[in-house]
Amino acid sequence: MKGGRWRDRCIAALGLTGIWVLLWGSFSALTFVGGLIIAVIVLVVFPLPAVTYAGRIHPLGTLRFLGRFLTDMVVASFQVVRLAFSFGHVPTSAIVAVKLRAPSDLGLTMTAEALSLVPGSLIVDVDRKKGVLYVHVLEVKSAEQAEQFKEDVLELERRIIRAFGSPAERRIIEEVPA
């Protein structure tokens, strides 16, 4: 096993151990050792696939992504609350297919997770080979609104790649129009 893979497994084991300790609600040597044993068993029985990360974290891009992400979460939360208290209104929804421009496994996953965390949108399917996300979206009433949502998702992907992407992904994002 390569050094990097060994390091990744140790980090995963420590992360799982930390979650175990948090679930127990108190720290003791027994919960730590028990969590470590469970983590090692889980990682041996259910090995994680190797995730290659050729990029690096770009601080300015990360700040832009986080700022806009938090804004999107707050605005969408208020929109969903408004919908919930609009008595007599039947919300409309749609499933929108969005083909990402730089669909690496990590970029696809991060974009899908960011979308799912914003209220009013939820990933229902992913075509990993084609790089397509199928997203359930609230309050889409027309083809124009669906197109606007696609553009918003591609802009989210752009922010994620600018924050965490590899140089090759960053070039693709800049070359391919939204």
Side-chain angles (χ1 to χ4, degrees), residues 6-177:
W6 176 251
R7 181 195 70 226
D8 292 345
R9 285 190 172 207
C10 287
I11 291 170
L14 287 175
L16 289 172
T17 303
I19 292 169
W20 180 265
V21 170
L22 289 172
L23 288 173
W24 277 98
S26 64
F27 180 81
S28 70
L30 185 60
T31 56
F32 181 79
V33 171
L36 192 59
I37 290 169
I38 297 293
V40 169
I41 291 170
V42 165
L43 290 172
V44 168
V45 174
F46 304 106
L48 296 171
V51 175
T52 57
Y53 179 62
R56 63 181 185 133
I57 297 174
H58 303 276
L60 186 57
T62 302
L63 286 175
R64 286 183 182 143
F65 164 68
L66 289 174
R68 178 63 189 270
F69 177 69
L70 292 174
T71 302
D72 288 347
M73 283 186 63
V74 170
V75 169
S77 295
F78 281 110
Q79 290 171 340
V80 170
V81 166
R82 182 181 49 79
L83 269 176
F85 288 106
S86 296
F87 298 106
H89 172 70
V90 178
T92 58
S93 62
I95 295 179
V96 180
V98 183
K99 180 159 180 29
L100 300 181
R101 293 166 297 192
S104 66
D105 285 347
L106 189 60
L108 190 73
T109 301
M110 290 180 75
T111 304
E113 290 298 326
L115 273 173
S116 288
L117 288 172
V118 174
S121 62
L122 181 69
I123 302 298
V124 293
D125 197 10
V126 176
D127 186 335
R128 183 176 165 219
K129 289 182 180 178
K130 294 180 182 176
V132 177
L133 298 176
Y134 296 92
V135 189
H136 179 269
V137 190
L138 284 176
E139 285 302 287
V140 173
K141 298 175 185 170
S142 66
E144 292 79 24
Q145 286 179 324
E147 283 302 316
Q148 180 59 50
F149 180 77
K150 283 183 185 182
E151 290 176 22
D152 292 345
V153 172
L154 293 175
E155 184 56 36
L156 171 64
E157 178 197 28
R158 180 186 303 273
R159 285 191 303 274
I160 288 171
I161 296 299
R162 284 182 175 169
F164 308 107
S166 68
E169 289 173 319
R170 290 169 65 95
R171 278 191 302 278
I172 290 170
I173 288 296
E174 299 307 322
E175 292 171 359
V176 177

